[in-house]
Amino acid sequence: MNRKFSLVVAVVVLLLAAGAAAETVLGLPVHVQRLAPEVIRIWVGDEISSTATVAIATKKGVLVVDTTGNPKIDAELRKVIARELGRQDFTTLINTHEHGDHTGGNVVYADCTIVGHELVGAGMTAAAADRSRVLEWYATRIPELERELALKPAGSDSARTLREQLTVTTLDREAMLAAGKLYPPTRTFSDHLSLDMGDTAVELYYIGGMHSASDIAVFVPKHRLLLTGDTMADTWLTDTPGCLASFMARPGVPHDFPRLLANWDLLLAKKDAIDLYLPGHWNGELSYDGFAARVAYVHALWDGVTHGAQEGKTLDELQVEYALATRFPALVDSPGFQPRNNYTTIMEMWTTTTGQTSAADRLYALVEEGAGADAIRQVVVEHEAPTPKHFFNEAQINAAGYRFLQAGSVPQAVEIFRINRDLFPASWNVHDSLGEALLAAGETEAAIASYQKSLDLNPQNTSATNALARIRSGGTTP
Ligand SMILES: [Zn+2]
């Protein structure tokens, strides 16, 4: 082949390749990954962490797992699925969990049986009630993305990522503005459900708690597939992991750790029947080893926290004993693991096993609603109660004070820091934080006394030394 001819061939091949990948939906590239003659995985976008829908042709119709967050996109993807599988007979949609980016296109499959965990519907309803807050967020996020995009060199990687984020965010906002009736699952279960799709069995297992209340795993033995939704991934293919960014027990989510662990163990035991572990977004991958490591981690924490609580250990002691860096060093750099996630998971497990809820959360709520001294005292006396209803974490209560301070709610911040000082009078840090809030409140004398107390407890506290020097030199701003 002469050089000129080979160049022409190369150009034609490149054009063909570009042409093949150039199918778009509403301005977004569409990707179709064929996993088996009857199975495809399909998603939009090259950069963003979008939902990967899986579609399986079975004797009892086409089964689809998850939608995107947008009915307009799903209506187009449904056509692509029909074309790729050569079938029009859609009969079943499965939602791996309640989140909008997995259920937002349910309306497109309203002609199908929609299958999901029994908590999916409640999650969808709660999200719909939060609609105005999300719309407000879009109202600031879209111009922000436009501004960021304008600053990037055209054609750069970061410009491409932002462009896609902007396209999707704009589409999602439109979808939310147009949103009407909800389409929750019409067939639900609590623990396990077997779907008979004729030639294809589909086994669904509850694995909720570490991502949403309603996560399930979808096992398809015929195709040797396990779909794990957004619960975990041990590889991120882009630096925008999105929903796969954290592996932790979510606050505000009902937990049944024994059942979660039992179902995970059951799925791990199917190792020889599974070739592919598929997270719910295209830019995450999961290996058997990554899955097993995450299950072992939750086992270790749950056993440690439940036994520790029975043996009379405190939550703070358990946080130290099961700290990520010292207890699980192999997981420190693994996707989804952060000290903060570990801390939150331990706290959720503590609440689940002891029934004790966070005093910090309760105090924050009471102070925010302007509750009287009596209501607050009722929480504070729990600190010395023989079987307290709340757990008291100094750092968490302090963080609640800073939430107020950063929001400009100075009197509320002072109130929280005063409560924390009364609870933990020997803590130099609490006196220091109270000093900061008192200074912001213009109570200079009280601020000096608080900083002085902090220094008495910890002469190395340079923050207090500096603050006192500033106050004495006449400047009061930190
Ligand atoms: Zn999710």
Side-chain angles (χ1 to χ4, degrees), residues 60 62-67 90-99 102-103 106-107 109-121 124 183-197 202-206 214-219 227:
K60 292 193 180 173
V62 175
L63 173 142
V64 173
V65 181
D66 281 342
T67 67
F90 290 80
T91 58
T92 313
L93 171 70
I94 296 172
N95 292 140
T96 59
H97 62 295
E98 69 209 59
H99 287 159
H102 297 260
T103 56
N106 279 11
V107 59
Y109 296 94
D111 57 333
C112 297
T113 302
I114 303 179
V115 185
H117 188 262
E118 63 187 8
L119 293 174
V120 168
M124 289 172 73
Y183 290 85
T186 49
R187 184 170 179 197
T188 62
F189 66 99
S190 62
D191 182 30
H192 171 235
L193 178 71
S194 300
L195 288 180
D196 171 12
M197 298 299 294
V202 179
E203 303 289 333
L204 310 180
Y205 296 92
Y206 161 86
S214 56
D215 306 294
I216 59 168
V218 181
F219 173 45
L227 280 56

Side-chain angles (χ1 to χ4, degrees), residues 97 99 101-102 211 230 243:
H97 62 295
H99 287 159
D101 57 336
H102 297 260
H211 178 71
D230 288 1
C243 290

Side-chain angles (χ1 to χ4, degrees), residues 115-251:
V115 185
H117 188 262
E118 63 187 8
L119 293 174
V120 168
M124 289 172 73
T125 305
D130 208 22
R131 192 167 157 258
S132 59
R133 198 187 53 80
V134 180
L135 281 171
E136 262 173 47
W137 179 82
Y138 283 136
T140 54
R141 185 62 185 144
I142 290 173
E144 205 174 271
L145 282 169
E146 282 165 343
R147 276 196 301 275
E148 283 175 46
L149 182 59
L151 296 173
K152 303 288 177 196
S156 63
D157 284 355
S158 51
R160 261 201 310 280
T161 305
L162 283 168
R163 161 79 47 208
E164 254 186 46
Q165 278 173 355
L166 183 59
T167 305
V168 165
T169 311
T170 307
L171 285 169
D172 287 353
R173 179 176 171 274
E174 283 168 16
M176 186 161 273
L177 283 168
K181 187 172 171 250
L182 292 177
Y183 290 85
T186 49
R187 184 170 179 197
T188 62
F189 66 99
S190 62
D191 182 30
H192 171 235
L193 178 71
S194 300
L195 288 180
D196 171 12
M197 298 299 294
D199 57 343
T200 312
V202 179
E203 303 289 333
L204 310 180
Y205 296 92
Y206 161 86
I207 51 164
M210 295 296 283
H211 178 71
S212 79
S214 56
D215 306 294
I216 59 168
V218 181
F219 173 45
V220 191
K222 180 182 174 185
H223 298 298
R224 305 179 61 80
L225 287 175
L226 183 72
L227 280 56
T228 55
D230 288 1
T231 54
M232 61 180 88
D234 65 344
T235 304
W236 293 332
L237 302 175
T238 64
D239 56 7
T240 50
C243 290
L244 305 171
S246 57
F247 182 69
M248 72 167 188
R250 305 279 156 156

Side-chain angles (χ1 to χ4, degrees), residues 24 51 54 77 90 99 110 142 170 183 217 233 242 260 274 314 343 349 352 354 362 377 388 405 420 437 452:
T24 59
T51 307
V54 172
L77 293 186
F90 290 80
H99 287 159
I142 290 173
T170 307
Y183 290 85
L260 163 69
I274 298 168
T314 67
Y343 183 94
M349 288 179 168
T352 305
T354 64
R362 184 75 191 124
R377 201 171 308 116
L405 198 58
N420 212 15
Q452 195 54 59

